[in-house]
Amino acid sequence: MIYTKLGHYSHPEHKLKLIHSHTPYKCDGCMDIGFGLRYRCKPCNFDLHKDCMFATSSANHAFYKDSVFKFHDSPPGERDRFCDACGGDVKGFVYHCEAHNRDLHPCCRNLPCRIEGDGVVLNLKEKVTSKCYWCGKRELWEGVTGWSYVSTCKTYHFHVSCVKDILVKRWEKEYFNGDGNYSSVSGGALEIDRNPDLELVPYQGGGGGRFVKYLKMVKFVVKLIVSTLLGDPTAIVASIIEAII
Ligand SMILES: [Zn+2]
Ligand SMILES: [Zn+2]
Ligand SMILES: [Zn+2]
Ligand SMILES: [Zn+2]
């Protein structure tokens, strides 16, 4: 059974309704950005990721078999913490392993280990040897690689943090009109209604057919990762990728 209206202890005043919208939001649980599905209280503008809504009191992860993660609704301890998966700041809901000092955002804890589509298989990896296609680096910062999706052919590699970055950059551009001003278009909602098919942009200049084929695959791989993470294989994701790569 799917419950579309549920209560959550972090917002006892009202029930939260499961909605799917094309407007990005800030999750009031982990304080990180979200897209697609969310639990929302409209009058209070209160939102929770699905993973934050259903966070459990303890959790584990295949990458850290020696860790037991406890759920905290605010970062434990004094020092700044970051998520071991995406490298992002921990500002709210978090799974924390005290013994090994590890932290995971609820959404990052639940990232699928394997993504598959049209014959392409991507595996979530804790350690990588190649450079990320998006940032051109292996490490997020010194000594920290974060998690990545890597194709089985090893050609295509994207940090989880870079996939988030792609989405946020695109959103900021649309939402703030690129000049810091709030967009007045339909009350600030993102209106993206383009062709959901990822058409190949003709490559100008040298490189030839092999580069075009590579670029096409990169677009496909990013689309596959992002649509899986958002649970939205349709228009918005495809058009975001189309516009940015
Ligand atoms: Zn959240
Ligand atoms: Zn409310
Ligand atoms: Zn994270
Ligand atoms: Zn990267």
Side-chain angles (χ1 to χ4, degrees), residues 131-140 148 157-163:
K131 287 175 180 165
C132 164
Y133 177 84
W134 189 250
C135 66
K137 292 183 280 194
R138 197 176 69 82
E139 296 182 331
L140 296 178
S148 298
H157 161 201
F158 290 88
H159 289 122
V160 167
S161 75
C162 286
V163 177

Side-chain angles (χ1 to χ4, degrees), residues 203-236:
Y203 180 66
Q204 309 286 321
R210 275 181 67 182
F211 183 79
V212 171
K213 194 168 166 240
Y214 178 72
L215 198 63
K216 193 176 181 178
M217 267 305 292
V218 166
K219 283 187 178 195
F220 177 76
V221 167
V222 175
K223 185 187 162 200
L224 190 62
I225 298 170
V226 172
S227 62
T228 305
L229 298 191
L230 300 187
D232 177 6
T234 54
I236 181 170

Side-chain angles (χ1 to χ4, degrees), residues 34 106 108 115 147 151 219 227 229 240:
C108 292
I115 298 177
W147 297 356
S151 60
K219 283 187 178 195
S227 62
L229 298 191
I240 285 171

Side-chain angles (χ1 to χ4, degrees), residues 16 63 131:
L16 306 178
F63 289 162
K131 287 175 180 165

Side-chain angles (χ1 to χ4, degrees), residues 108-163:
C108 292
R109 147 74 181 77
N110 291 339
L111 286 169
C113 292
R114 183 186 160 96
I115 298 177
E116 200 171 347
D118 266 6
V120 178
V121 177
L122 302 161
N123 290 305
L124 188 61
K125 300 271 185 199
E126 184 210 351
K127 293 191 172 65
V128 286
T129 48
S130 60
K131 287 175 180 165
C132 164
Y133 177 84
W134 189 250
C135 66
K137 292 183 280 194
R138 197 176 69 82
E139 296 182 331
L140 296 178
W141 63 83
E142 212 183 330
V144 177
T145 53
W147 297 356
S148 298
Y149 279 105
V150 184
S151 60
T152 42
C153 64
K154 303 257 197 301
T155 309
Y156 307 100
H157 161 201
F158 290 88
H159 289 122
V160 167
S161 75
C162 286
V163 177

Side-chain angles (χ1 to χ4, degrees), residues 32 82-90 103-109 111 147 160-161 164:
D32 209 356
F82 67 89
C83 171
D84 286 86
C86 73
D89 292 337
V90 169
D103 297 277
L104 294 175
H105 289 128
C107 295
C108 292
R109 147 74 181 77
L111 286 169
W147 297 356
V160 167
S161 75
K164 273 169 81 174

